[in-house]
Amino acid sequence: MNKQVCFFAFFMALACNMQAKVRLHHLVSDNMVIQQQTDVRLWGWAKPGRRVVATTSWSDQRAEAKADRQGRWLLTVQSPRASYTPLSVTFDDGDGAVTIRNVLAGEVWVCAGQSNMEMPVKGFGNCPVQNYNQEVIHAAGARQVRSAKIPSIMRMTPQEDADTHWRECSPQTVGDFSATGYFFAKLVNRALDIPVGLIEANKGGTRVESWLTKENLERYTQEPTDSMGIVNHKKEWDYHRAMLWGNGTFSPIVNYTVRGILFYQGCSNVGDPGDQYSERLKLLVDQWRSQFRLGDIPFYFVQIAPFVSGNADGTWNAELQEQQYKASKAIANSGLVCTNDCVLPYEGEQIHPSQKQKVGERLAYLALNKTYGMKTVVCDSPSFRDMLVKSDTVMIHLDNECGAISRFSDMVGFEVAGADRVFHPARAKHFWQPGGGYWDECIVVTSDAVKQPVAVRYCFRNWLLGNVANAGGLPLFPFRSDNW
């Protein structure tokens, strides 16, 4: 009997000791990637008032923090230069040490948005990703790219932790990585030769309002923020609900030290009136930058792809693309990827196009040029600058041609309209004549059906694919010269 009592007492003491050990946030774990050469935040929980000490394998530094009344603590350590050398960090609150291992210093990016960001390398049901087998094979030895997927959950209040873990890239794991995020990370890793970590905090079908805080929703929108109001609000699907996804899926990561945010979202906001989407997207970026407390970190995002959306000739999809373009001009330290050529001709009703490599690599071009200083990388798509009408011809200039356009003839995707506001398909070609005047080199657009044009559009339809690009092969942004 005494032996049983002693054994029980020993077991209880051991259990209490295990429970007393410092607890780390799930992102602060084995295989993590920490942002290089900066003050990296590490955090978790301990007994209230307990002092937590962190020591690192790469220096003699010691960092300390005291747990508050709720047991929360947060400290910072100075991270080393990026390398593939495995690192470790030990945390000790006096009741026992916890060590995380196989940590790499590199570049950390958040992958946010809806299903086209969530879409994994292995694809969704009936939604494949091009070259899946090749990516699985090439992932062998690619552990320098790592990812942590935050579970997509709804919560009424902001969550502090998430049941996640860091994954090393391998043929066994790469299929579950965000395809867009993986192709971004793969190219950045190749260009800079340093580890890249992805934090995937996204949810398919979500609207921009899904990620806004209660405070921002109440101040800037009419969206309900109480539980009954959210449940009774006229939303066809739960993933359209405001606030809940940000609370459950994004809030757990805002203490992490990251380089920037990648964002692919917008399909669920098609049809929003006026400038509502561009204004709310800027609001969201301001919110996230405030929550991360890292200044105006880069925000690189993706224009939604062409989609039939019930009527190939409609313009509501194009109007959302236009809102995204406006947002790119209003949001500091941002960049927008054009996807007009990222849809195959037979994918008009495929909301998840298969060419995710183009998307991820174009996000990488933005980061390499604007964040990492590789100015020789072409990263911006051409865009409409101005126009001049001469008789039956519209003459246009583009910005960001980068010294050339992709073709001199057989340009498709242009339409012109006269005073009746009816648009007709148009021919377009490169125009040049000696003289050096402003209009001596431009693109000229004509249509036999419009003798006195007043407006020009390019791919400004739900489903209209063009073929004009700049010297870097980046496609021309859809545009309209009118505001009809």
Side-chain angles (χ1 to χ4, degrees):
M1 184 67 178
N2 289 338
K3 289 184 179 180
Q4 289 178 330
V5 171
C6 290
F7 178 79
F8 179 75
F10 172 79
F11 176 79
M12 290 301 296
L14 180 62
C16 290
N17 185 56
M18 291 176 62
Q19 291 175 357
K21 282 186 179 180
V22 62
R23 180 166 68 89
L24 305 177
H25 190 279
H26 278 76
L27 282 174
V28 183
S29 59
D30 292 346
N31 307 318
M32 72 186 295
V33 180
I34 57 174
Q35 182 61 40
Q36 66 162 327
Q37 294 183 294
T38 191
D39 291 326
V40 171
R41 294 188 293 249
L42 305 170
W43 74 105
W45 297 264
K47 288 181 178 179
R50 187 61 58 91
R51 187 164 297 279
V52 178
V53 178
T55 55
T56 70
S57 64
W58 61 87
S59 75
D60 295 331
Q61 66 177 312
R62 288 166 56 93
E64 297 185 9
K66 184 178 180 180
D68 65 15
R69 292 181 178 179
Q70 287 73 43
R72 305 186 193 95
W73 57 265
L74 182 149
L75 53 79
T76 61
V77 298
Q78 181 67 36
S79 57
R81 183 186 299 272
S83 78
Y84 302 114
T85 302
L87 309 170
S88 65
V89 185
T90 298
F91 303 86
D92 195 338
D93 67 348
D95 283 331
V98 176
T99 300
I100 58 173
R101 296 180 172 83
N102 196 28
V103 175
L104 295 182
E107 293 293 302
V108 182
W109 289 81
V110 176
C111 297
Q114 59 180 110
S115 56
N116 273 297
M117 180 61 85
E118 187 178 29
M119 186 178 186
V121 173
K122 65 185 179 184
F124 291 138
N126 291 319
C127 304
V129 170
Q130 276 191 349
N131 302 320
Y132 166 70
N133 276 345
Q134 291 91 323
E135 295 307 323
V136 169
I137 294 168
H138 294 158
R143 288 178 173 81
Q144 58 268 32
V145 174
R146 299 179 178 181
S147 170
K149 178 70 170 78
I150 308 301
S152 301
I153 59 174
M154 295 183 290
R155 291 293 184 269
M156 282 299 298
T157 57
Q159 301 299 291
E160 297 184 23
D161 201 357
D163 186 10
T164 187
H165 65 279
W166 284 92
R167 305 170 292 191
E168 295 180 294
C169 183
S170 71
Q172 291 72 41
T173 63
V174 69
D176 293 320
F177 282 42
S178 159
T180 295
Y182 174 68
F183 289 121
F184 165 88
K186 181 180 175 183
L187 188 57
V188 171
N189 168 255
R190 185 190 311 155
L192 303 181
D193 192 24
I194 58 177
V196 179
L198 303 173
I199 300 176
E200 303 178 27
N202 43 59
K203 170 60 181 175
T206 49
R207 304 170 72 241
V208 69
E209 294 83 2
S210 303
W211 306 99
L212 290 173
T213 60
K214 178 178 181 179
E215 293 74 19
N216 276 333
L217 288 167
E218 291 179 346
R219 183 174 181 181
Y220 297 104
T221 80
Q222 299 300 313
E223 297 279 345
T225 58
D226 63 288
S227 57
M228 290 304 298
I230 291 174
V231 170
N232 294 328
H233 196 49
K234 294 183 179 179
K235 300 294 184 189
E236 186 175 0
W237 308 103
D238 61 1
Y239 46 72
H240 284 170
R241 291 174 176 168
M243 185 181 73
L244 303 184
W245 299 102
N247 282 343
T249 306
F250 206 90
S251 288
I253 75 170
V254 295
N255 278 336
Y256 210 91
T257 307
V258 302
R259 172 66 76 181
I261 301 171
L262 311 174
F263 189 66
Y264 194 167
Q265 187 273 338
C267 297
S268 291
N269 285 94
V270 169
D272 283 5
D275 291 335
Q276 178 175 294
Y277 181 82
S278 60
E279 292 169 355
R280 292 184 180 181
L281 181 57
K282 183 180 184 302
L283 177 64
L284 178 62
V285 176
D286 291 343
Q287 170 190 300
W288 279 346
R289 286 172 171 170
S290 175
Q291 289 176 312
F292 275 112
R293 310 184 304 284
L294 297 168
D296 285 349
I297 55 176
F299 180 79
Y300 301 136
F301 63 118
V302 182
Q303 196 173 53
I304 60 173
F307 184 59
V308 169
S309 193
N311 178 0
D313 291 330
T315 61
W316 43 90
N317 202 64
E319 289 165 14
L320 195 282
Q321 292 171 335
E322 183 178 58
Q323 287 294 298
Q324 292 176 310
Y325 183 78
K326 287 183 177 180
S328 74
K329 300 304 178 184
I331 299 169
N333 198 15
S334 71
L336 179 64
V337 167
C338 180
T339 59
N340 182 260
D341 66 340
C342 295
V343 181
L344 298 170
Y346 53 80
E347 290 184 319
E349 296 183 356
Q350 174 57 280
I351 197 66
H352 303 121
S354 61
Q355 299 180 82
K356 289 295 183 283
Q357 183 167 356
K358 283 184 179 180
V359 180
E361 290 185 348
R362 287 174 187 174
L363 286 168
Y365 298 155
L366 287 168
L368 291 171
N369 181 303
K370 297 177 184 291
T371 302
Y372 299 114
M374 296 181 66
K375 297 304 182 183
T376 53
V377 173
V378 176
C379 68
D380 291 310
S381 275
S383 58
F384 173 73
R385 182 195 301 173
D386 56 25
M387 61 172 275
L388 174 69
V389 177
K390 283 191 175 182
S391 185
D392 64 347
T393 301
V394 179
M395 307 171 72
I396 65 172
H397 285 137
L398 305 177
D399 283 324
N400 295 320
E401 290 181 348
C402 303
I405 55 174
S406 60
R407 57 177 55 243
F408 274 13
S409 60
D410 298 323
M411 300 179 189
V412 299
F414 287 93
E415 298 179 290
V416 294
D420 62 359
R421 300 188 176 187
V422 177
F423 281 90
H424 299 270
R427 298 180 299 275
K429 63 179 182 179
H430 176 265
F431 171 80
W432 178 85
Q433 65 182 10
Y438 183 70
W439 294 103
D440 288 338
E441 185 168 13
C442 60
I443 295 174
V444 294
V445 184
T446 59
S447 173
D448 293 337
V450 183
K451 298 304 182 183
Q452 294 181 303
V454 298
V456 61
R457 291 181 174 185
Y458 176 77
C459 295
F460 204 80
R461 302 278 185 182
N462 291 343
W463 177 256
L464 184 56
L465 307 183
N467 61 1
V468 180
N470 64 13
L474 301 180
L476 173 60
F477 279 115
F479 70 83
R480 58 176 170 173
S481 68
D482 61 277
N483 59 359
W484 301 335

